[in-house]
């Protein structure tokens, strides 16, 4: 099954982009090749750009606090495991405190590193980090892989409170959705949303053997899915047949 996610607001859209970047970073850092560590640095700078949004940190803290309040309301419920509840609340408290105690925005401490900022200023220029443009950076790339990894670990250490808080928040959000099987008749599906309830994320799982791409749109009253298939040139064209998929709405 191939999973697609559609955010209903700008805050969740930013968080998903940031999660995507953190996943890329954790894949690149353990590798040995200099080119992998180059793109790890590219990713660090992209994370700094996304995390520079003024209200992102406060949004994550506010949502973690809201989830904590909701979970506290389950105390004493005979259908809820108190041990499991305490564990999740403890994770929220830990993530909240770590992020709240971090001064400034994620990666802000790195802006004081002139060497890193010189790379950042050149990295968006095609070929701008060649050895004749940044010889000190080229020399760093010749260091042993483990030495480069240690440097990267030191530089990205200040990003982890944001990552951990983000991972926890998105896990709680995704767990709130219950998947159900629906059918797109003639390749199209619409579902009205109940008034008085605000959804933040749509999750859609398609059988990969169908080779379909969903075009998703949504607002507070309705979600729509149109199934498409790419031709040999990569152009998407409507898939005019019935197809089933799993749909979750996360509030």
């Amino acid at each position: 099954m191939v999973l697609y996610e559609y955010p209903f607001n700008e805050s969740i859209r930013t968080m998903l982009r940031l999660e995507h970047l953190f996943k890329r970073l954790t894949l690149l850092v353990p590798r040995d090749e200099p080119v992998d560590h180059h793109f790890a640095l590219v990713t660090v700078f992209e994370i700094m750009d996304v995390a520079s949004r003024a209200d992102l940190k406060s949004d994550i803290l506010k949502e973690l606090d809201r989830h904590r309040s909701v979970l506290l309301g389950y105390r004493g419920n005979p259908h809820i495991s108190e041990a499991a509840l305490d564990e999740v609340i403890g994770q929220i408290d830990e993530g909240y405190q770590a992020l709240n105690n971090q001064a400034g925005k994620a990666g802000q401490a790195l802006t004081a590193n002139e060497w890193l900022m010189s790379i950042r200023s050149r990295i968006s220029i095609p070929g701008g980090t060649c050895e004749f443009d940044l010889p000190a950076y080229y020399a760093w790339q010749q260091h042993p892989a483990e030495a480069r990894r240690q440097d990267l670990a030191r530089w990205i250490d200040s990003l982890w409170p944001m990552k951990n808080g983000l991972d926890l928040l998105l896990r709680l959000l995704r767990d709130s959705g219950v998947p159900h099987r629906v059918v797109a008749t003639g390749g199209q599906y619409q579902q009205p949303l109940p008034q008085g309830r605000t959804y933040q994320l749509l999750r859609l799982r398609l059988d990969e053997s169908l080779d379909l791409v969903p075009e998703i749109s949504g607002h507070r009253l309705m979600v729509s899915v149109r199934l498409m298939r790419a031709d040999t040139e990569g152009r998407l064209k409507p898939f005019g047949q019935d197809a089933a998929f799993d749909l979750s709405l996360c509030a």
Side-chain angles (χ1 to χ4, degrees):
M1 303 291 279
V2 181
L3 172 66
Y4 294 87
E5 294 187 320
Y6 179 84
F8 284 107
N9 57 63
E10 187 60 32
S11 177
I12 299 299
R13 185 174 291 111
T14 300
M15 292 181 194
L16 291 177
R17 286 174 178 150
L18 202 52
E19 180 190 47
H20 169 76
L21 292 171
F22 274 121
K23 285 181 177 178
R24 186 207 298 170
L25 183 61
T26 55
L27 283 174
L28 290 170
V29 171
R31 297 178 181 175
D32 291 341
E33 291 300 319
V35 67
D36 291 316
H37 290 168
H38 167 78
F39 283 106
L41 272 180
V42 171
T43 306
V44 168
F45 298 143
E46 289 185 38
I47 289 172
M48 292 172 65
D49 289 338
V50 176
S52 67
R53 208 192 78 179
D55 53 352
L56 177 61
K57 179 179 173 180
S58 62
D59 280 352
I60 295 176
L61 290 172
K62 180 176 68 176
E63 285 298 304
L64 287 174
D65 189 56
R66 185 178 65 81
H67 278 284
R68 184 181 187 278
S69 297
V70 171
L71 291 172
L72 285 173
Y74 288 113
R75 286 203 185 278
N77 189 321
H79 302 292
I80 301 295
S81 166
E82 288 288 329
L85 189 62
D86 288 341
E87 181 180 357
V88 176
I89 292 174
Q91 291 173 357
I92 293 176
D93 288 340
E94 183 179 346
Y96 184 98
Q97 290 300 325
L99 183 57
N100 193 44
N101 291 339
Q102 185 180 52
K105 301 168 186 174
Q108 184 171 315
L110 297 181
T111 60
N113 187 317
E114 294 183 7
W115 185 76
L116 285 177
M117 292 306 100
S118 69
I119 299 169
R120 187 183 186 184
S121 67
R122 300 282 310 175
I123 217 158
S124 61
I125 302 171
T129 56
C130 284
E131 64 270 22
F132 53 83
D133 285 313
L134 293 174
Y137 179 50
Y138 179 73
W140 177 81
Q141 291 176 302
Q142 312 314 307
H143 292 174
E146 187 55 38
R148 283 185 267 114
R149 251 192 305 276
Q150 290 176 5
D151 288 337
L152 286 168
R154 187 175 72 255
W155 295 329
I156 64 182
D157 185 62
S158 64
L159 301 177
W160 292 137
M162 173 71 76
K163 178 188 183 299
N164 294 337
L166 184 72
D167 287 347
L168 178 57
L169 176 58
L170 290 175
R171 176 165 62 86
L172 291 169
L173 176 60
R174 288 165 175 144
D175 287 348
S176 71
V178 178
H180 58 283
R181 196 74 168 169
V182 301
V183 176
T185 305
Q188 300 207 39
Y189 176 80
Q190 286 190 330
Q191 178 177 322
L193 299 179
Q195 294 187 15
R197 187 167 192 189
T198 302
Y199 291 98
Q200 299 194 72
L201 183 69
L202 179 151
R203 311 186 82 209
L204 185 156
R205 284 185 171 87
L206 267 170
D207 188 331
E208 64 178 329
S209 66
L210 296 175
D211 195 25
L212 297 175
V213 178
E215 285 191 348
I216 306 169
S217 61
H219 51 76
R220 62 186 181 86
L221 299 177
M222 178 81 69
V223 294
S224 299
V225 178
R226 183 168 66 152
L227 299 179
M228 313 288 284
R229 177 169 283 168
D231 63 16
T232 55
E233 299 293 325
R235 294 185 295 262
L236 291 178
K237 296 184 177 180
F239 178 72
Q241 303 175 34
D242 294 356
F245 55 87
D246 293 331
L247 182 70
S248 303
L249 291 169
C250 307

